[in-house]
Amino acid sequence: MSDSLTFNKYAGALLGTGFVIALLINASGIVFSQDKVAKPGFKVQVAEETGGGAAAPEVPPDWGTVLKTADVAAGQATFTKCQSCHALTANGIGPNLTGVVGRKPGTEAGFSYSDGMKGFGAKTPIWDYQHLYEFLKGPQAYVSGTKMSFVGLKQAQDRINVIAYLHGQGSTLPIPAPNPAAAPAAAAAPAAEAKPGDKPVASGAAAGAEAPKAAEAAKTSPAK
Ligand code: HEC
């Protein structure tokens, strides 16, 4: 009789312990399941990062400023990407690019342009710096139907450098005067490096370089 009572005590103790263990397992289960809930949140973040939404509108460079500070040697190096199709002496897979800055799009003699490029030329007087900048970022996106099957130069500075290099290859388009309002750094750009053909522009650039001083003078003079 007392033996069976002792047995019951121990059995009860074991059951009780088991109950506590079961509770603990359940409790830890709750903790871990909460942990799992946190993970999908991180996944969403990764998806956002790789999704790459619509590009923010780019502010056009101030050409009078950026062309003077461009790395022409780097532009020449980038131009090797173009040379599988373009030369500076004759037409190849792509048209001769000597003199392309300032040329009307789709008009290099002897080159057979796509209808897309001919259409673009019909509404675009010349390849100016901004048009080249946009075109070289994503040729097919900018000139629909173009047969220039080049992915584009995504980095703004790469495009600026290559445009500065092309400007040195028979460009008929002068570099505009810096616009200090758009880019205050323009004041620092030297106006001295202009070529003989650029004379009217050089003086324009010099005038542009003077403008910030005038603006400063205007700011600091009376009125207050
Ligand atoms: C895979 C060949 C290929 C590559 C690489 C290439 N282009 Fe072209 N490019 C062409 C073709 C073809 C055309 C003519 C497009 C048309 O008719 O639609 C063209 C047209 C152009 C034009 C218009 C010329 C005009 O006379 O209107 C410019 C400017 C130009 N390319 C610049 C570049 C520059 C700068 C690079 C390098 C960053 C480059 N291209 C890389 C094939 C190429």
Side-chain angles (χ1 to χ4, degrees), residues 17-32:
T17 308
F19 183 67
V20 169
I21 289 171
L23 264 182
L24 283 174
I25 289 170
N26 265 339
S28 65
I30 290 164
V31 170
F32 284 124

Side-chain angles (χ1 to χ4, degrees), residues 75 78-86 91-97 100-101 103-109 111-118 120-121 127 132 135-136 139 143-153 158-159 162-163 166:
T78 301
F79 188 70
T80 57
K81 292 185 184 175
C82 322
Q83 283 175 313
S84 46
C85 301
H86 289 283
N91 293 330
I93 295 169
N96 182 354
L97 289 185
V100 75
V101 180
R103 184 163 86 200
K104 187 168 179 62
T107 59
E108 177 68 359
F111 188 81
S112 173
Y113 289 93
S114 66
D115 288 345
M117 186 59 77
K118 284 186 210 157
F120 180 74
W127 278 120
L132 285 167
F135 176 62
L136 293 178
V143 175
S144 80
T146 183
K147 62 175 179 179
M148 171 154 149
S149 51
F150 176 68
V151 63
L153 300 171
D158 286 350
R159 279 175 280 151
V162 88
I163 290 166
L166 285 174

